[in-house]
Amino acid sequence: MAQIFRPSSNTFAVLSVLAGAALPVGLILGMSQFTRSGYVTKVGVPYEQPVPFSHEHHVNELGIDCRYCHTSVAKSAQAGYPSTHTCMSCHSQVWSNSPLLEPIRESYVKNVPLKWTVLNKVPDFVYFNHSIHINRGISCNNCHGPIQAMQMVYKGNAFQMRWCLECHRNPENYVGDQKFVWELYQKIQRGDQLTPEEASLAKGIQYTRTPEELKKGEEWLQKYHVKKDQLADCSICHR
Ligand code: HEC
Ligand code: HEC
Ligand code: HEC
Ligand code: HEC
Ligand code: HEC
């Protein structure tokens, strides 16, 4: 499958046009079986990191903003991982002798970046961009689950095509004010009263907006000039 979708080739453009008719049924069935198995998706399974970093501790208890560590998330395609310098801005003073933080100190002293294990990844033939989603007010938790409550990060969603498309076909159920993305964590941390939508997101549960909320969503789509009728086009994600 992989070589059919080499980004450099335009096979995909041709494929997309022929899509429904041309793809062998067996292949499609095979692929969907494959992508649905727990082994591939690993949703909900924590994974090994060189340092047992806790989002629950740093985000929810200490109140550190996502952008302090994932600096490019609202500006570019990639969210990125923090450099050791970011950790050491605090950990040269706090817990500076902890054995848990030895890999961080070593990376800092030797000036060799720490290698975080990548958990969330879409295949090379899929184009994804963080900033466009963040800047439409879509919460990290919509895609990544209840990050602020995770001791160890696990996958919130499998990022299968039909999951992306569910939102691309009904974006009014998700878009909103950009501030929403960051204020959600501040409200959770302060223990403020949450709206039903915020309360669902805090738990990483999919929320269905009320008719009034959907109307607001439609207004945001207009404000952002989102072309809803083109969002499910193959060429949006397969370029
Ligand atoms: C103090 C630094 C720090 C802050 C603040 C922080 N993160 Fe992270 N984040 C990390 C580190 C380090 C990793 C890699 C280690 C891990 O997976 O736990 C990571 C990993 C992740 C991952 C998984 C990356 C992958 O490989 O797929 C997601 C998703 C994520 N963070 C989202 C968030 C969100 C959302 C926020 C804000 C609510 C946030 N982070 C705040 C440091 C931080
Ligand atoms: C803004 C300051 C700050 C930054 C930046 C920061 N930490 Fe921490 N970290 C703390 C504090 C405060 C504690 C808690 C000490 C305590 O238990 O009272 C802590 C605790 C920890 C612990 C101990 C385990 C735990 O959860 O109790 C680990 C491991 C850790 N941090 C790793 C990291 C890593 C890795 C980074 C960089 C990605 C990082 N920290 C960035 C402030 C920070
Ligand atoms: C619309 C869904 C969506 C939203 C919203 C979203 N992410 Fe992601 N995130 C993804 C996907 C998809 C990937 C895999 C990207 C890839 O393979 O290039 C990813 C990967 C990551 C990674 C791994 C490193 C990287 O840059 O690929 C981190 C860290 C991360 N996201 C943090 C965040 C943070 C922080 C937020 C909120 C400020 C956020 N994400 C919001 C879907 C999303
Ligand atoms: C929760 C809703 C939501 C989810 C989930 C989501 N998207 Fe989007 N995405 C949007 C919205 C809304 C836009 C339109 C932004 C605009 O046009 O202003 C968009 C735009 C895009 C764009 C166009 C970017 C550009 O530069 O024009 C790409 C590519 C994209 N999404 C890929 C993905 C992929 C791949 C996934 C699944 C891994 C995904 N999206 C999941 C809501 C979502
Ligand atoms: C919103 C983003 C998005 C749009 C729009 C989109 N796709 Fe995909 N597509 C994906 C993602 C993400 C994957 C990877 C799925 C996985 O790994 O499970 C994928 C995978 C595929 C695959 C590989 C087989 C599979 O199911 O894993 C085919 C074939 C495909 N897409 C065809 C299309 C066609 C044809 C269209 C237009 C009708 C289209 N896609 C529109 C996101 C998108």
Side-chain angles (χ1 to χ4, degrees):
M1 211 59 198
Q3 70 261 44
I4 300 180
F5 295 113
R6 249 179 309 140
S8 54
S9 78
N10 62 3
T11 322
F12 198 88
V14 178
L15 236 174
S16 328
V17 176
L18 301 173
L23 284 181
V25 175
L27 184 62
I28 294 173
L29 287 178
M31 284 302 295
S32 51
Q33 291 263 319
F34 174 72
T35 49
R36 235 173 271 153
S37 79
Y39 174 74
V40 177
T41 59
K42 286 203 176 119
V43 171
V45 183
Y47 63 129
E48 283 292 312
Q49 286 291 3
V51 177
F53 177 81
S54 164
H55 280 78
E56 198 280 323
H57 195 115
H58 291 84
V59 174
N60 215 26
E61 286 176 40
L62 300 175
I64 311 177
D65 191 281
C66 314
R67 290 165 292 183
Y68 187 83
C69 291
H70 304 292
T71 50
S72 56
V73 72
K75 292 179 288 198
S76 77
Q78 303 289 315
Y81 298 89
S83 78
T84 334
H85 286 257
T86 307
C87 311
M88 285 301 271
S89 65
C90 291
H91 287 293
S92 55
Q93 281 112 43
V94 188
W95 273 46
S96 56
N97 291 318
S98 161
L100 286 181
L101 285 157
E102 181 52 33
I104 296 283
R105 289 191 296 271
E106 191 182 308
S107 146
Y108 187 73
V109 170
K110 294 191 178 154
N111 204 14
V112 180
L114 194 71
K115 269 217 154 51
W116 297 106
T117 312
V118 178
L119 175 68
N120 293 289
K121 185 109 191 60
V122 287
D124 287 343
F125 58 84
V126 179
Y127 176 74
F128 181 76
N129 183 313
H130 271 97
S131 63
I132 194 147
H133 292 92
I134 306 303
N135 294 325
R136 300 297 175 262
I138 296 171
S139 166
C140 317
N141 289 27
N142 249 320
C143 302
H144 291 298
I147 286 281
Q148 86 291 341
M150 294 181 191
Q151 287 292 346
M152 299 291 280
V153 176
Y154 54 84
K155 268 193 199 182
N157 281 294
F159 298 155
Q160 282 156 328
M161 183 161 108
R162 64 172 177 273
W163 174 81
C164 307
L165 285 175
E166 199 285 315
C167 178
H168 277 222
R169 287 185 178 129
N170 310 288
E172 63 281 1
N173 194 50
Y174 304 90
V175 293
D177 195 337
Q178 298 171 7
K179 287 188 298 192
F180 179 81
V181 175
W182 320 111
E183 284 177 357
L184 174 67
Y185 304 112
Q186 293 159 14
K187 287 181 82 174
I188 296 172
Q189 195 207 9
R190 288 195 300 259
D192 287 3
Q193 179 79 37
L194 302 178
T195 66
E197 181 167 7
E198 289 167 339
S200 292
L201 281 170
K203 296 196 207 103
I205 299 171
Q206 166 91 48
Y207 178 74
T208 305
R209 288 181 173 172
T210 63
E212 297 89 83
E213 289 169 334
L214 286 172
K215 215 175 272 163
K216 284 235 178 72
E218 301 272 10
E219 284 167 25
W220 281 109
L221 288 180
Q222 285 180 7
K223 239 179 255 177
Y224 292 137
H225 305 292
V226 175
K227 299 194 185 71
K228 181 183 161 180
D229 54 335
Q230 291 169 22
L231 262 188
D233 289 359
C234 316
S235 60
I236 291 268
C237 303
H238 304 295
R239 307 186 164 187

